Amino acid sequence: MIRWITALALAAPALAIAQGNLVVYCAVQEEWCRAMLTAFERKTGTRVAMTRKSSGEIYAQVKAESANPRGDLWWGGTGDPHLQAAEEGLLVEYRSPLLKDLHSWAVRQAQDAKFRTVGVYAGVLGFGYNSELLARKKLPEPKCWSDLLSDKYRDEVQIADPNSSGTSYTMLATMVQLQGEDKGFEYLKRLHRNVNQYTKSGAAPAKAVASGETLVGITFLHDLVTFAVQGNPIKVVAPCEGTGYEVGSMSIIKGGRNPEQAKAWYDWALTPEAQALGGEAKSFQMPSNKNAKVPPQSPRFEQTKVIQYDFAKYGSSAERKRLLSKWDREVKALPK
């Protein structure tokens, strides 16, 4: 866990309403969290305390703190746990004036949550492999989800635990939607034999692929691109059968102590100016504002075969709990 608490007192803040304090729970990469914090403080004079965790961990924290909330705003991370938190009454309804500038998938996320969350970016699920390691091991190039079940990749695949990682929950829900629940769970059981580690963070497998710690990492494509553009030997794969995607989201936490500052961040984070910080921080998700510049390296919907992911169903509290419990019983508990 990374925690930053900084204070920049500026003489003439641009958004007077935002002066004061703000506690943000951030679920994207550390560099992007830090860039957002710094830019918002400079623009508003608000003192921001930020904690970085994976989206599943933030959801658990928001729920645990519901009687005495410590956070004001939850920024980033896969949308499913945001939707669950919205359904459970942990978030505040807020309709930003920036909604009119957003892509339909971002607005749909808000509508599904009765405007208790909103889409801030999107990212496509897939996997990547270390091309140098693949050549050294003389293994075939995986191009499809089904390829990862081969005995040739025994202990060569890394993925996060869906209980802590929104990325991995997206993978779980994707397999259920792509193949049906029975076949989807059969796939995950077979994949389990080839998994060398279930990480806490959904982006960790991308880093492991870059360093050669693992051959294959299942994560969002943009996390793999981040390491590929740095010169690491990573081949990014959009699976041939089709795949799911995330709508990274943002929510105001119910009962937070700084609601006006939270709304100021919320509105600012939906502007093209703020959304450009992702690419500058080497995070290559697709921004939700139609006027925001899309980094040229960003994996896009039109370049991949994405399923009609049912965010309302798979973001619901009952379905998430059911699928995660089933995964714990039927997949994680299996011997290797």
Side-chain angles (χ1 to χ4, degrees), residues 267-316:
D267 292 338
W268 169 77
L270 295 176
T271 64
E273 167 202 359
Q275 295 199 350
L277 295 172
E280 292 171 16
K282 302 293 187 290
S283 288
F284 299 111
Q285 289 93 324
M286 293 173 281
S288 65
N289 190 305
K290 289 183 278 191
N291 302 309
K293 182 180 178 182
V294 182
Q297 305 94 332
S298 294
R300 305 178 186 223
F301 287 137
E302 58 267 26
Q303 299 168 338
T304 53
K305 183 180 176 184
V306 292
I307 63 172
Q308 291 293 320
Y309 192 105
D310 189 339
F311 290 97
K313 178 178 180 179
Y314 293 95
S316 71

Side-chain angles (χ1 to χ4, degrees), residues 20 22 37 46 57 66 73 82 97 103 112 114 119 132 134-135 146 156 175 190 196 250 286 316 321 332:
L22 180 67
L37 177 152
T46 299
E57 291 178 296
S66 61
L73 188 130
H82 285 264
H103 286 289
D112 285 345
K114 297 179 181 175
E132 291 180 357
L134 189 88
S146 58
E156 300 282 11
M175 284 302 142
R190 292 177 62 191
N196 54 46
M250 170 173 61
M286 293 173 281
S316 71
K321 287 176 181 175
K332 193 175 185 181

Side-chain angles (χ1 to χ4, degrees), residues 146 148-150 154 185-195 331 334:
S146 58
L148 301 184
L149 301 182
S150 170
R154 182 62 58 92
F185 266 87
E186 188 57 38
Y187 176 89
L188 294 168
K189 290 174 192 176
R190 292 177 62 191
L191 179 69
H192 175 78
R193 295 181 300 191
N194 290 350
V195 172
V331 180
L334 288 174

Side-chain angles (χ1 to χ4, degrees), residues 19-217:
Q19 285 183 287
N21 299 303
L22 180 67
V23 178
V24 177
Y25 296 156
C26 184
V28 298
Q29 291 302 92
E30 177 184 336
E31 293 78 11
W32 195 2
C33 293
R34 193 185 299 275
M36 291 288 287
L37 177 152
T38 302
F40 186 71
E41 287 189 329
R42 285 178 177 162
K43 188 171 184 66
T44 67
T46 299
R47 297 169 182 172
V48 181
M50 179 174 279
T51 299
R52 194 273 160 197
K53 292 184 176 181
S54 63
S55 48
E57 291 178 296
I58 292 176
Y59 162 72
Q61 182 173 352
V62 169
K63 187 165 185 172
E65 295 174 352
S66 61
N68 183 26
R70 294 166 58 191
D72 299 305
L73 188 130
W74 173 5
W75 185 78
T78 52
D80 293 324
H82 285 264
L83 290 169
Q84 183 174 356
E87 183 187 345
E88 294 174 349
L90 301 174
L91 309 175
V92 173
E93 179 180 340
Y94 180 59
R95 303 186 189 218
S96 171
L98 275 293
L99 272 173
K100 63 183 185 343
D101 298 330
L102 305 185
H103 286 289
S104 59
W105 46 263
V107 176
R108 194 159 52 244
Q109 186 79 345
Q111 292 169 338
D112 285 345
K114 297 179 181 175
F115 298 93
R116 291 181 175 90
T117 194
V118 70
V120 287
Y121 60 78
V124 178
L125 182 73
F127 60 85
Y129 61 86
N130 186 302
S131 56
E132 291 180 357
L133 208 53
L134 189 88
R136 199 178 315 144
K137 292 174 178 280
K138 297 181 180 178
L139 291 172
E141 177 183 356
K143 297 180 179 179
C144 306
W145 291 120
S146 58
D147 293 338
L148 301 184
L149 301 182
S150 170
D151 288 341
K152 295 175 181 177
Y153 300 112
R154 182 62 58 92
D155 293 326
E156 300 282 11
V157 179
Q158 195 171 108
I159 185 174
D161 186 314
N163 290 287
S164 61
S165 161
T167 303
S168 195
Y169 178 76
T170 302
M171 164 68 171
L172 167 56
T174 291
M175 284 302 142
V176 170
Q177 292 172 83
L178 193 62
Q179 303 188 42
E181 186 164 328
D182 290 345
K183 289 183 178 179
F185 266 87
E186 188 57 38
Y187 176 89
L188 294 168
K189 290 174 192 176
R190 292 177 62 191
L191 179 69
H192 175 78
R193 295 181 300 191
N194 290 350
V195 172
N196 54 46
Q197 183 184 353
Y198 290 106
T199 62
K200 182 180 286 188
S201 163
K207 186 175 183 179
V209 171
S211 67
E213 178 190 323
T214 190
L215 175 64
V216 178

